[in-house]
Amino acid sequence: VRVRVDNAGTKLDLPAQLFRPAGNGRFAAVAIFHGCGGPGQNTARMAGLLRDWGYVALAVDSFSSRGLTDVCGRNWPTEADAEKRAGDIDAALKWLAGQDFVDPRRIAFMGYSYGGGVAMLRALSPQPADAAPIARAAILVYPDCALADALGPKLTVRQPTLFAMAALDEELSTR
């Protein structure tokens, strides 16, 4: 599927993989955001697990429409890059809320590593006036915590937020 982003004058169509559970009705949903290496096995594996557990999962590719494949290492994104990508979360939540097979009152988002940092930025920022509905939960898997430094005293927790930290993360342990 494609998720339309219209953020600060930037219009993009982000490719995303949709994982739907069997059956009819309106399901809880989770939008999943990849790390600095782009979409891969982690996000697809988690989306499959969520689907098997009865959730709709949307694995969003924030890179290919921007001409990116990997921003690990020397090309690590700036705070401004992360802010732009935070708009992808709003767009994905809005897209999910508009689907007739999703319960718009039960939507969460999840991010890994750099995607976790961007998700943290979105989870802990004040709610923008034109933002998508507030998610029911945020799941941050070994997030890049430095991305929230700029929030300082503006830091606001808007929904239940789970931080999953890993001491042996292969990407962060090499820096």
Side-chain angles (χ1 to χ4, degrees):
V1 300
R2 301 213 72 63
V3 173
R4 182 71 169 175
V5 175
D6 188 353
N7 185 17
T10 301
K11 295 180 190 315
L12 294 170
D13 286 318
L14 303 178
Q17 269 188 288
L18 180 64
F19 294 75
R20 288 180 61 180
N24 296 319
R26 292 171 84 84
F27 300 94
V30 179
I32 304 172
F33 295 87
H34 58 78
C36 65
Q41 291 182 348
N42 275 350
T43 52
R45 187 178 316 119
M46 179 53 70
L49 280 171
L50 288 166
R51 178 204 53 223
D52 294 347
W53 295 338
Y55 294 86
V56 170
L58 183 69
V60 180
D61 173 1
S62 292
F63 283 2
S64 63
S65 294
R66 291 182 170 98
L68 302 170
T69 55
D70 184 322
V71 296
C72 302
R74 296 175 64 194
N75 300 316
W76 196 254
T78 65
E79 182 80 26
D81 295 329
E83 286 284 352
K84 289 176 194 168
R85 192 170 177 212
D88 298 358
I89 293 172
D90 294 335
L93 297 176
K94 184 177 178 181
W95 187 90
L96 282 167
Q99 304 308 307
D100 62 2
F101 51 87
V102 171
D103 180 347
R105 297 165 299 150
R106 298 187 304 146
I107 299 175
F109 59 94
M110 157 184 241
Y112 287 89
S113 192
Y114 170 56
V118 172
M120 180 177 53
L121 191 61
R122 178 49 70 229
L124 303 179
S125 296
Q127 176 78 3
D130 62 343
I134 295 175
R136 296 291 298 163
I139 302 110
L140 315 174
V141 182
Y142 50 93
D144 175 0
C145 294
L147 291 176
D149 287 348
L151 295 175
K154 298 183 294 185
L155 187 136
T156 306
V157 179
R158 300 186 303 169
Q159 66 281 301
T161 302
L162 170 69
F163 283 78
M165 301 303 286
L168 299 176
D169 173 27
E170 72 280 353
E171 176 59 33
L172 297 178
S173 65
T174 60
R175 283 191 221 195

